[in-house]
Amino acid sequence: MSVKNESKGLFAYFEKDPESADRHFFGRISHSDRRGFLRGAGLTTMGAMLGMAIPYHRTMPAGFIPVAFANEDALTGKDGLTLLNDRPVNAETPPQLLDDPITPTNRHFIRNNGLPPEDVDPTTWTLTIDGLVDNPMELTIADLKSNFEVVNMALTIECGGNGRAFFDPPASGNQWTLGAVACSEWTGVRLKDVLAKAGVKDGVVYTAHVGADTHLSGDPGKLPISRGVPIEKAMTDNVLIAFEMNGAALHPMNGAPLRLVVPGWPGSCSQKWLKRIWLRDVVHDGPKMTGTSYRVPNRPVAPGEEVAKEDFVIIERMPVKSLITSPATGAELGAQGAEVRGHAWSGDRKIERVDISIDFGATWIETELEAPVNDGAWQNWRTTVNFPQAGYYEIWARATDDAGVAQPFAIAWNPKGYLNNSMHRVGVRIV
Ligand SMILES: Nc1nc2c(c(=O)[nH]1)N[C@H]1C(S)=C(S)[C@@H](COP(=O)(O)O)O[C@H]1N2
Ligand SMILES: [Mo]
């Protein structure tokens, strides 16, 4: 079923394919001989959405959707996201809905490679730390909270494929435009503190992350995705094992009850529904670590060029980029005093300046740029613009980081459509 660029009502979605809708939104499994009943996490999710328990849930049929949700969007608990794919669920946020300095949970994009787990009870959830450690550990969320310092940090997560939709020739995969990026506030413990307690043995080079989601095939022996990071990255101060998002429980689609957050690196490093971190003496080779996944050619290539597999390298930091969150494309504005604002980020570097242009790049206006609230958070910028006369204008934004690297105008094409950091352009009418 193709649902690209369509935001569907929950009812429409359930009418079309009630069983898969059930599975995706509430984790309910129906069997051919027996109607499945909502239980565990699915029931918790539905209850949370209703704001109360459902006493007669046992007699609620499969594919049933409470009438109280009549006006809910297909993406429950999310507001205004565009659904790019429904199996697995992938949804991005339009730029103008990313206007907040810190991204609210209902505006955080969703990128799933498989089917989210059904049982996400935070009281029984455990995280295993094993592999090349002195003391393998199995920790509950309560253990994490009581044995390690709990920190709050605003951290940017961007999918490696954000911007893929603009590639020509096109690259296969989710056709993300601009909105597979967010900067929420996460509460958790530092990965480095947990690894230090476990005791990192000599010879460790990489982490390996395992989540509780199911492969699309349903095969319990297959992981949908398992990535890792070099141990040096894992031991930095802003890599968190998070159990809260914006001061509340994680959203089920954003990894409840526990996830990694590795800011500035491809979102795929930030394992959701986190169950295990395994330390290895080789570069991790789990699903979506090998081949051409989250990799780019080791040299610039021409659009459409074939690249040998051995010439692909693992993506580490994400490139310098900015987003204009106000005004939105299509806005009608007065000529005087229009505020232009947005965010900028650059892997694990800081942004030094953000400039905008209203004359197709001929001249640039430096904006007021804020410092990040902490290391790993995007930076907010704004300025006020006066337009000389009525008409159509484009506002372009160009961020420059502290290594002096600025965003390009054109996309550096690569076969899998990663790392598109070309400038964001917004078209406005001055009336
Ligand atoms: N277990 C698990 N973790 C995962 C994924 C997944 O499919 N399964 N997707 C990854 C990818 S590719 C991205 S971009 C981020 C997105 O995080 P979000 O869905 O909370 O926005 O989660 C990452 N963590
Ligand atoms: Mo991603």
Side-chain angles (χ1 to χ4, degrees):
M1 161 166 58
S2 169
V3 290
K4 187 173 183 291
N5 292 335
E6 202 182 320
S7 189
K8 293 192 298 184
L10 195 57
F11 270 94
Y13 188 54
F14 269 76
E15 261 164 34
K16 202 157 177 190
D17 185 355
E19 294 197 355
S20 87
D22 243 12
R23 244 187 345 263
H24 292 136
F25 291 103
F26 304 113
R28 175 162 40 186
I29 310 290
S30 300
H31 302 283
S32 48
D33 56 335
R34 192 166 66 82
R35 305 210 100 180
F37 295 101
L38 195 58
R39 58 193 176 85
L43 192 57
T44 310
T45 308
M46 198 182 265
M49 287 162 53
L50 288 166
M52 55 191 68
I54 310 167
Y56 287 122
H57 69 88
R58 283 183 199 290
T59 51
M60 213 165 48
F64 179 85
I65 174 76
V67 71
F69 298 157
N71 299 318
E72 289 287 330
D73 204 60
L75 299 157
T76 52
K78 295 288 175 181
D79 176 25
L81 270 59
T82 307
L83 195 60
L84 299 179
N85 188 0
D86 61 357
R87 188 185 166 83
V89 173
N90 282 283
E92 69 171 332
T93 313
Q96 67 274 16
L97 297 187
L98 286 170
D99 195 37
D100 300 88
I102 300 291
T103 311
T105 302
N106 63 3
R107 303 253 165 98
H108 198 289
F109 74 101
I110 303 167
R111 195 296 186 240
N112 292 347
N113 288 267
L115 307 172
E118 223 179 297
D119 185 3
V120 294
D121 182 351
T123 61
T124 55
W125 194 267
T126 56
L127 170 65
T128 299
I129 311 289
D130 64 1
L132 291 172
V133 292
D134 298 326
N135 322 297
M137 306 191 292
E138 192 179 84
L139 301 158
T140 62
I141 294 175
D143 294 334
L144 290 172
K145 290 181 183 171
S146 57
N147 296 342
F148 303 95
E149 187 189 348
V150 173
V151 294
N152 286 303
M153 293 186 94
L155 300 171
T156 307
I157 300 180
E158 182 181 20
C159 182
N162 195 25
R164 178 180 291 133
F166 306 110
F167 275 66
D168 182 21
S172 62
N174 284 294
Q175 296 300 300
W176 304 109
T177 63
L178 298 151
V181 62
C183 182
S184 288
E185 186 180 77
W186 302 92
T187 304
V189 298
R190 294 184 194 92
L191 175 60
K192 72 166 196 181
D193 293 348
V194 175
L195 294 183
K197 180 122 188 219
V200 179
K201 283 195 195 281
D202 286 347
V204 170
V205 300
Y206 235 80
T207 60
H209 314 148
V210 180
D213 42 345
T214 307
H215 192 269
L216 285 180
S217 64
D219 181 346
K222 274 184 160 174
L223 293 171
I225 184 169
S226 171
R227 294 180 44 82
V229 294
I231 189 68
E232 298 74 29
K233 178 66 185 174
M235 298 304 280
T236 54
D237 288 338
N238 61 11
V239 175
L240 299 189
I241 302 174
F243 36 75
E244 275 183 28
M245 180 177 188
N246 297 315
L250 302 189
H251 186 280
M253 294 286 165
N254 298 120
L258 196 67
R259 76 172 299 167
L260 271 178
V261 183
V262 182
W265 282 38
S268 52
C269 300
S270 296
Q271 196 83 25
K272 301 192 281 187
W273 311 292
L274 183 67
K275 289 298 293 177
R276 178 182 178 209
I277 295 175
W278 166 34
L279 297 194
R280 305 193 62 183
D281 59 2
V282 291
V283 174
H284 183 45
D285 54 0
K288 309 224 164 165
M289 271 306 300
T290 60
T292 58
S293 294
Y294 301 102
R295 292 183 184 223
V296 288
N298 56 10
R299 59 178 188 278
V301 298
E305 189 178 328
E306 291 282 337
V307 181
K309 262 206 171 106
E310 55 275 17
D311 291 349
F312 280 81
V313 293
I314 299 173
I315 298 169
E316 298 200 327
R317 58 184 304 285
M318 292 294 288
V320 58
K321 194 161 173 180
S322 61
L323 192 65
I324 301 165
T325 59
S326 185
T329 282
E332 286 195 355
L333 309 171
Q336 298 301 306
E339 176 157 297
V340 178
R341 58 178 183 264
H343 319 291
W345 60 95
S346 179
D348 22 36
R349 295 181 191 151
K350 301 261 180 310
I351 296 295
E352 199 142 273
R353 57 188 289 158
V354 175
D355 300 274
I356 64 159
S357 177
I358 58 166
D359 56 7
F360 306 103
T363 62
W364 293 88
I365 303 161
E366 185 169 0
T367 68
E368 283 167 49
L369 174 68
E370 287 176 17
V373 292
N374 53 249
D375 187 31
W378 65 21
Q379 288 168 249
N380 303 303
W381 55 267
R382 66 178 62 226
T383 194
T384 304
V385 184
N386 297 319
F387 294 86
Q389 63 185 81
Y392 174 82
Y393 293 83
E394 286 195 8
I395 304 170
W396 296 1
R398 183 185 68 191
T400 305
D401 69 20
D402 61 7
V405 180
Q407 289 180 260
F409 176 77
I411 309 169
W413 188 92
N414 62 85
K416 300 279 293 202
Y418 295 123
L419 307 182
N420 180 359
N421 68 332
S422 56
M423 290 182 242
H424 184 200
R425 295 160 53 186
V426 161
V428 295
R429 285 163 216 287
I430 304 303
V431 292

mmCIF file of all heavy atoms in Angstrom, residues 111 159-160 267-268 294, ligand 2:
data_model
loop_
_atom_site.group_PDB
_atom_site.id
_atom_site.type_symbol
_atom_site.label_atom_id
_atom_site.label_comp_id
_atom_site.label_asym_id
_atom_site.label_seq_id
_atom_site.Cartn_x
_atom_site.Cartn_y
_atom_site.Cartn_z
ATOM 1 N N ARG A 111 11.469 6.694 12.262
ATOM 2 C CA ARG A 111 12.114 5.886 11.242
ATOM 3 C C ARG A 111 12.250 4.462 11.813
ATOM 4 O O ARG A 111 13.093 4.193 12.668
ATOM 5 C CB ARG A 111 13.493 6.475 10.889
ATOM 6 C CG ARG A 111 14.102 5.944 9.585
ATOM 7 C CD ARG A 111 14.414 4.490 9.610
ATOM 8 N NE ARG A 111 15.110 4.057 8.417
ATOM 9 C CZ ARG A 111 14.628 3.123 7.590
ATOM 10 N NH1 ARG A 111 13.470 2.560 7.784
ATOM 11 N NH2 ARG A 111 15.372 2.748 6.560
ATOM 12 N N CYS A 159 18.263 11.374 10.444
ATOM 13 C CA CYS A 159 18.417 10.140 9.668
ATOM 14 C C CYS A 159 19.446 10.366 8.562
ATOM 15 O O CYS A 159 19.440 11.416 7.904
ATOM 16 C CB CYS A 159 17.083 9.732 9.060
ATOM 17 S SG CYS A 159 17.209 8.181 8.150
ATOM 18 N N GLY A 160 20.303 9.378 8.350
ATOM 19 C CA GLY A 160 21.322 9.464 7.298
ATOM 20 C C GLY A 160 20.716 9.719 5.922
ATOM 21 O O GLY A 160 21.367 10.280 5.045
ATOM 22 N N GLY A 267 21.148 8.760 12.432
ATOM 23 C CA GLY A 267 20.134 8.335 13.393
ATOM 24 C C GLY A 267 20.158 6.833 13.645
ATOM 25 O O GLY A 267 19.792 6.376 14.735
ATOM 26 N N SER A 268 20.611 6.085 12.660
ATOM 27 C CA SER A 268 20.626 4.625 12.785
ATOM 28 C C SER A 268 21.534 4.137 13.911
ATOM 29 O O SER A 268 21.398 3.000 14.367
ATOM 30 C CB SER A 268 21.062 4.002 11.459
ATOM 31 O OG SER A 268 22.276 4.584 11.026
ATOM 32 N N TYR A 294 24.108 2.745 5.037
ATOM 33 C CA TYR A 294 24.695 3.867 5.795
ATOM 34 C C TYR A 294 26.170 4.037 5.455
ATOM 35 O O TYR A 294 27.009 4.287 6.310
ATOM 36 C CB TYR A 294 24.456 3.697 7.303
ATOM 37 C CG TYR A 294 22.989 3.617 7.602
ATOM 38 C CD1 TYR A 294 22.367 2.402 7.862
ATOM 39 C CD2 TYR A 294 22.211 4.762 7.555
ATOM 40 C CE1 TYR A 294 20.993 2.324 8.082
ATOM 41 C CE2 TYR A 294 20.845 4.695 7.771
ATOM 42 C CZ TYR A 294 20.254 3.478 8.031
ATOM 43 O OH TYR A 294 18.899 3.409 8.243
HETATM 44 MO MO MO B 2 17.887 6.474 9.686
#
